[in-house]
Amino acid sequence: MTSQHVYDGKSKRVYVKSSEEIVMEFKDEVTAGDGAYKALVPGKGVLCALVSAHLFRVLEDSGISTHFVEYDGLRSITAKKLKMVPVEVIVRNYSYGSLLKRMPLYGELDPLVPPLVEFHYKDDSLHDPLILPEDILRTNILTSRELSRIIELSILVNHVLSKHFRSAGLKLVDIKLEYGFNSSGELLLADEVSGDTFRVLDENGRHLDKEVFRKTKNTDLLLKAYQELATRLGLRWEVVLSTKIFG
Ligand SMILES: Nc1ncnc2c1ncn2[C@@H]1O[C@H](COP(=O)(O)OP(=O)(O)O)[C@@H](O)[C@H]1O
Ligand SMILES: [Mg+2]
């Protein structure tokens, strides 16, 4: 790769390709428990890049602006370089995970209608703390117009993906979204959309997402779940994984 390596994240390596574009290389590492558990899962990077590219295309086809530019068919996605909003938006359709811990009156997988939108300040050292919409405004991270736009976009992304998963017999439990501004000040959906960033259940209530690793710490089971997710979305991952050397 000729482009400059600028950021080594938990799940991706980011390279600057030009003043306008970055390349996100999906790693085979998986982390859980705020980085307390780490493991190598050969094939995971390809599967997450494949699923992410597919879902960005689904979203673009529904008229949602994303940072997606192109997919190399392996583990790298070229995307528009953005000024990232340091906030993670979580949209929840069913109660699960940290929501159950902070609000015990929810039962596991209770439907949340309309979906619950949550904000976290993106800071690993603080464990991405939950913040209020008001915190985002008072600290000038976003204007109220921009915040309204992010909420509107997140509800829409959740709606489009829920529908797409439903047609594959899958249930979207919750999803974490990140956004950034392009050079014209437009808000675009960024980062990734994969089993690392959403929870999705099959007809039997089986997770096809990172929850498998959080619960079992078993990398083979995680790989199987990610392969199943890609298959269910109609993606041909076998060819890529059987012909390429991963690392
Ligand atoms: N289009 C984009 N432009 C610039 N930065 C981006 C873009 N999309 C995602 N990012 C950032 O790149 C990094 C991706 O690597 P990741 O492994 O997810 O990192 P992290 O450990 O910080 O979550 C994240 O910090 C994410 O916010
Ligand atoms: Mg990340």
Side-chain angles (χ1 to χ4, degrees):
M1 172 123 14
T2 49
S3 38
Q4 195 195 345
H5 174 201
V6 285
Y7 182 75
D8 201 10
K10 291 187 293 294
S11 64
K12 302 182 285 305
R13 240 168 249 121
V14 180
Y15 300 84
V16 171
K17 194 174 172 187
S18 67
S19 58
E20 302 279 297
E21 291 182 344
I22 58 160
V23 173
M24 298 187 301
E25 189 183 87
F26 287 66
K27 304 200 266 189
D28 283 338
E29 274 95 348
V30 60
T31 63
D34 257 335
Y37 300 95
K38 249 187 222 169
L40 196 69
V41 190
K44 172 183 179 283
V46 167
L47 287 160
C48 285
L50 179 71
V51 165
S52 222
H54 167 72
L55 294 175
F56 275 128
R57 288 187 184 118
V58 166
L59 292 166
E60 290 278 350
D61 288 347
S62 300
I64 296 165
S65 300
T66 80
H67 72 159
F68 180 79
V69 177
E70 65 181 11
Y71 173 46
D72 76 343
L74 235 181
R75 64 166 72 244
S76 295
I77 287 178
T78 302
K80 289 168 196 145
K81 190 172 155 210
L82 305 178
K83 185 173 181 294
M84 294 300 286
V85 177
V87 170
E88 296 187 343
V89 183
I90 300 179
V91 185
R92 300 178 181 275
N93 297 303
Y94 298 89
S95 50
Y96 203 85
S98 65
L99 176 60
L100 301 175
K101 291 199 185 113
R102 74 172 172 79
M103 184 32 166
L105 296 186
Y106 291 115
E108 188 168 298
L109 293 175
D110 283 350
L112 302 166
V113 185
L116 184 65
V117 181
E118 220 176 64
F119 304 92
H120 292 252
Y121 181 59
K122 195 168 153 61
D123 185 328
D124 279 338
S125 66
L126 299 175
H127 315 293
D128 301 332
L130 180 77
I131 53 172
L132 303 177
E134 206 179 321
D135 297 323
I136 297 174
L137 301 178
R138 284 173 188 256
T139 58
N140 300 312
I141 293 176
L142 296 170
T143 65
S144 66
R145 244 181 111 115
E146 290 163 348
L147 179 60
S148 303
R149 178 77 186 132
I150 279 196
I151 295 170
E152 182 184 51
L153 275 171
S154 301
I155 296 285
L156 192 59
V157 167
N158 176 62
H159 176 76
V160 170
L161 292 181
S162 292
K163 205 169 134 197
H164 187 71
F165 286 132
R166 210 175 301 127
S167 68
L170 304 174
K171 188 157 103 172
L172 180 62
V173 174
D174 51 33
I175 182 161
K176 186 261 311 176
L177 303 168
E178 290 185 32
Y179 294 88
F181 291 98
N182 67 11
S183 45
S184 337
E186 194 192 353
L187 262 172
L188 305 182
L189 180 70
D191 205 48
E192 65 175 290
V193 187
S194 77
D196 274 15
T197 59
F198 55 68
R199 292 192 182 98
V200 73
L201 301 176
D202 73 4
E203 299 82 354
N204 302 316
R206 236 168 25 112
H207 279 273
L208 300 184
D209 58 64
K210 198 164 98 173
E211 203 59 29
V212 171
F213 181 74
R214 287 193 196 98
K215 279 198 174 124
T216 66
K217 307 292 176 307
N218 183 317
T219 54
D220 290 339
L221 289 179
L222 180 69
L223 190 67
K224 288 254 150 48
Y226 279 11
Q227 289 172 343
E228 172 71 10
L229 173 64
T231 300
R232 295 288 293 256
L233 295 176
L235 305 171
R236 298 295 312 274
W237 53 268
E238 299 93 337
V239 191
V240 190
L241 286 196
S242 62
T243 55
K244 305 285 179 186
I245 299 159
F246 16 88

